[in-house]
Structures are given as C-alpha cells and as structure tokens.
Amino acid sequence: MLLPVAALLLVALQSATALGQGEDAVVVEISYDGSTPIIRVYRSGSLACEPKYSMWAYGTTVESFAFINFGSFKDPSTGRPCIVDIVRDTAWNRGTVVFRLDKQTASKYALALGLGRFAVERNSTTVVVSFENATLPYLHASHGILMWQEPLILYSEDRFTRVSLGSIDVIYDKHLDTEGLEAFMKGLAIADKLREAYGPSPIEPYLAVIVGKDIPDPYGAYGGAHNLGSVVFIHRGDRSLFEAPIIAIHELAHSWLGPPLVDGMDIKLKEGGAEFSALYFGMLYFPDDARQYFSREGYCGLLRYDPNYGHGAVGLFILNLYIQELSRLFGANYTIVDVLRAIFINTTGLPMDLIRELSWQELDEIIFLKYDKLVIDKIPHYMSSWLNISENALRQASQSLNTILLEAIPHIQCTWPFYDDYIKNRVISLINSLVDPSPRIYVHYEVLENNSVKLSIYNFNELQVSARAVIQHSDSYESSDVTLAPMSRSSIVVGPLDKVLAINVLYQRPLEDKYETLAVIRPSLQQTATVTVTNTVTVTATETATKTLLSTTTKTIVEKTTATKTHHISTTLTKTQTITNTMKIVEVRTETTTETREITSTITTTATMTTTEKTTVTEKTVERETQTVTVYSTESSNEKALLLLSTLLALALILVVVRQPRKP
C-alpha cells in the first residue's frame, strides 16, 4: 500500500534538507504500483503541479519497467500548465529539483535520469539535480522555447542491469540475446567519437535504455529507437544484427542534430541529419554493417522518396562533396561535419547574460539551425573564414548549390555515396566556375547592316559572371559592364565600325576583385572576327575539338563536346555547309585527349563562332523564326562571285571549241 501524500512530502523535504538544498527546493514525488505511476510536484511545501491526464498514455508501463514523459501537468489552482514554470522560477533561480521515490516504490524500482549535464547526486531513493551550472538551451525556457525533455525511467533490477559504457550509462533488458545486445553496445560505444566530431552538445547522451520486444514501445508508431533529451531509448524488436549499431548511431546523433541546436520543426535536417550521421560514421567505423544497412530491402525507397530522412541525408552527402572538393583546391580537407561542429560550438558558447536579454525571435535566429540556413548562410561563412576567400562569392555559389540539391532527387542512387555522376559533375562544374569561369565563357561578334558591331558574350557556367567590354576608338576609349546569369548570354552594340579599332573583353573571377582579359577582337568590314584568347595552359600538343549546339524551339540547347587526338597542327576550318538549328564551333587547343560531355542550358538565341589560340573566324548569322544559322567558308562573297563567273566563262569557251566543225 502506498504512503499518504503528506507523509511522502515530509520525507521528501527532509531528504532535500539533509542534502543541503533547503525547503524551497522543487520536489517531484513519484510512486508506482507496476501499472499506474503517480507524479506530483511540490514547491515550498505546497502542491503546485499534478497530472493533467494519464501521463502513462505517453509512456510505457509494465510491472518491471516504466517510461514516463513530462509535459502534461496542470496547476490545481489555475488549471494552467505548470512544470516548466516551476522549474524555471524556482529551480533555475535557486538551484535544485529533488526527484524522490516513496519507500515502497524505491524497494522495487530504481530511478534513472539522464541529466548528465547538470550536477546530480543519487542515493537509493532520491536524485537531487542542481541547475546552478545549467548549460545554455535549458535556460531558454525562460523565453518559452523549450519544454522539460527528460523522461522518468523506473526499472526493476530483477530484470534490468545498469552498466557504464564510456561516457554513457546503459540500462539493458536481461532478456535480450547476447548478440543483439553486443551489436547495440557496439554502436553506442562511439558516442565519444561523435563528441569529438561534433563538439560538445547541451544534450549529449548520458543514458541509453535498451528493452526487449515484449516491453511496449512508448512511441510505437515509429518502431522505437527514439532520442529524448539526453536519453537514448532503443526498442529491440526483430532488428537484424547489422542494423543495431547503425540505428544506435542515428539516435546518438540526435543529441546534436535535434532540438535545441536544430529547429525541431525542420525534420529534413533533424532526421535527415541523424540518418546522414548513421551512414557517414557507420561507413567510417562499421563499413560492413553500414553496407548491409543501406542495401537492405526497402531502404532505397526511403532514400529516393522520403523528403526528410532520405532527401535530407543525401543532401548532406552532396554538401560534403562540395566542401571537400572546394577545400582541396586550397590545400585543406574540410567536411560538412567540420561545418556542423563550428555551428554547434558557437551556439553553445554564447554568454548567459546575452541569452537572458534576447527576445524569443532573436534567440530563434541565433540558436536554431535550419536546412536552408545551413546551405545559404553557414557554409559560406565558415568556408570563407577557413579558406580566406570571398564570402559573397561563396554565398552566390550556395544559391546554385541549393538549386543542385533541389534537382538531385531523380539522381539519388542506392549505393555509396548515394548520388550519381550527373550530380557529382554539377558540383565540380560549380567549383570550377568559382575558381576560373573563363573556359566556359564564349565571345562572338557580327557586323550589322548599319555598319555597327554586335558583341555577344555567352556564359555556360553554373555561376553568374561579371564581364566588361572596353572599346578602343580611333580617338577615345569607352567601356560597358554586363552581368551574365548562369547559362545565359548578353549582347551590346558598338560602332560605327570604321571608328572601332579593337574590343577588349574582360571577365572577373568570382573569388577575386580584379578583371582579366578574355578576348581581343579587331572587327573588319569583311565580317571576319579576329579573337585572341588569353590561355594559361601550356601548349605541348595539338587538339582539334568540335562543339555542336543543337537548338530546339523551346530554347533548350544541348551541348555535346567530342575531342580527338591529332599529331599535326590544324590550319583550316571545317568545310562549308549550311545547318538548320545548329551552331558549329571549332576550337584548336593543346594536349589532346578524348572526352565527351553534355551540358543542357537555356538561352534566347543561337550564334556561330570559331576560336583558337589565335583564330580567324569568318561567319554570317541569319536569325529567323526557325533559328536557322548559315555558316559560310572563309571566302568573301565577292571572291565567290568572281570564282563562279570565271568558271562559267571557262566552261563556255570549252563548249565553243568542242562544237566547231572539223575542216575536211
């Protein structure tokens, strides 16, 4: 039979006083008969909180085990929620909360709380928690951000055993088979590795509970395996042995990738981030188990079709590729884990005085991390600081990176690292655009009928490019700046032609402030473009590359590049031909190799151009509704006419000679 409440309170207060806490301590009084827990909260000797409804509806209660969440308590005098207010007003200001089992309950059950981040003193019946040195997020409740997250766990020592595993206490069901238990313990054992990787967390895991499948899961809709505050709860069920360590890592990772560091509503980052951690660290420490885990039946569907777990995890792998490849160009080797660590450390390190002064909205901006904030804001900030490069350029790249993430869903694959070569090439192309966009900028000009010059600049990079055209006249200079969006073109008209001596086309590298020469054009009346392209590649052999742009009426251009080796210097253009809906570009380059690549882009018109290290291109573009482009050879129209006339005269003379009658 349970002791009367008044007697329980007296014992609790005496216990608190004996532990040096004083009568103002908050006392959480707990009794349990094997099926129904009774929880009441007292402050300064008066009843202040009682269950609003059956708390055990949100937990597991069996004869040997009780798992009870806080959250639904009311003040008996006002009917308002009270537990968080009491802890805030009394415990955090004055120092302590006493969790107390009545004598009968204490004789059958042990009380387990995580709370490793606070000063905790235990004996057989009482747990006294000191909040005097509470870390940052739990002080946020004064702004209404957090609820109490620690569950109450009562367990019978006849069925459960408690052991220490590094920095974690593990309470496990003795009915678990040995292999299954060892598999979970293997995963839990890397908690210190996660702490090294992600840095300190306000809710680092301090307690893990592993139960057998015959004990109800308090969150059965999710199949168990949940993180609650600093407590990791794992429901054994019928899991395969290879799943156990990977699931354990997922749940441990929620101590960082979950509230209060990650916005609790951003499931894509909270669950996708935990799943990324399970796969990333699983491959690092348990590669055989991890491969079986993501190769099992049904997992491929989760990666491809689940917008939170699957898309969130794969997105972080793509971000990791971007960070690694970019940092390697600067002699470093950063990963997405390094970025997350920097975010978490800078969040938990905020001074307490500042936290108390901030509004809820200000705290939300500073504390909570969201997926889009990670991509657009945090990655550029830290990569700029670490690599000493332009943060503005990296922010622009992050916008393009975000687009790649949105387009990645059809390209998710079910083998490591979960994205295909298309996505990998897009990321590499983005990084190349950051470092040097010039190989994918093309310049074309034509002489118009009014004797002016139309200059077109094409940007086939993943990033916006800034360009400048400096026009040299016979007696002056003028310049025109253009900004080219990714996969676009821009045109300017200058003239008259007889006063244009040269046009210098410059471009700006995104990571630098200065402009560099892209091409020098000296237009002529014969519509012949002389383009000098500055190229830093060392010439060691000769390569002829033919690029064909196939244009459709939807303005979609598919660019196919085929390069073939040659051992002689190419000195001629391709043969004369007329092509409908086609733009032919001929380049003479160096050190030939064979490669094929395809790039899809959208522009508004087509163009024809030929460039070499010093290439003369003769062309004429006729723009019609059907986007037909006619490319002529290097012969001028007058030369063609003279050649045709002389040929006809020669043929006529031959015919006259042949038809004259012979003399007898």
Side-chain angles (χ1 to χ4, degrees), residues 340-484:
L340 291 171
R341 174 185 171 85
I343 295 169
F344 298 152
I345 288 177
N346 282 280
T347 297
T348 56
L350 292 174
M352 294 299 106
D353 290 342
L354 173 63
I355 295 303
R356 295 187 181 97
E357 294 173 1
L358 295 176
S359 67
W360 189 94
Q361 291 81 4
E362 290 170 325
L363 282 170
D364 181 60
E365 283 297 313
I366 294 175
I367 302 300
F368 289 155
L369 179 64
K370 300 179 181 179
Y371 209 104
D372 57 351
K373 188 175 180 180
L374 169 66
V375 179
I376 302 300
D377 180 45
K378 298 299 185 180
I379 289 177
H381 173 73
Y382 288 107
M383 294 302 290
S384 169
S385 174
W386 295 338
L387 302 179
N388 194 27
I389 55 181
S390 168
E391 184 171 342
N392 288 334
L394 292 176
R395 288 184 182 278
Q396 184 194 154
S398 285
Q399 297 287 347
S400 297
L401 188 60
N402 207 32
T403 301
I404 293 174
L405 293 176
L406 295 174
E407 296 175 358
I409 296 172
H411 300 277
I412 292 175
Q413 61 182 16
C414 304
T415 56
W416 182 269
F418 311 115
Y419 50 79
D420 63 11
D421 286 343
Y422 171 80
I423 293 299
K424 180 179 179 179
N425 292 336
R426 285 287 304 276
V427 172
I428 298 300
S429 176
L430 173 61
I431 295 171
N432 290 338
S433 297
L434 261 177
V435 177
D436 183 10
S438 63
R440 297 180 60 77
I441 307 174
Y442 298 96
V443 181
H444 165 69
Y445 89 91
E446 61 178 309
V447 179
L448 304 179
E449 292 181 357
N450 63 2
N451 206 29
S452 59
V453 178
K454 181 181 179 181
L455 179 70
S456 297
I457 306 174
Y458 294 81
N459 176 26
F460 289 106
N461 286 283
E462 297 278 353
L463 290 178
Q464 172 181 294
V465 170
S466 297
R468 175 176 295 167
V470 179
I471 300 96
Q472 180 183 357
H473 299 286
S474 56
D475 56 355
S476 63
Y477 289 87
E478 65 174 305
S479 65
S480 178
D481 290 339
V482 294
T483 300
L484 297 146

Side-chain angles (χ1 to χ4, degrees), residues 627-639:
Q627 293 186 324
T628 301
V629 179
T630 303
V631 183
Y632 296 106
S633 68
T634 55
E635 299 169 324
S636 67
S637 57
N638 290 336
E639 290 172 335

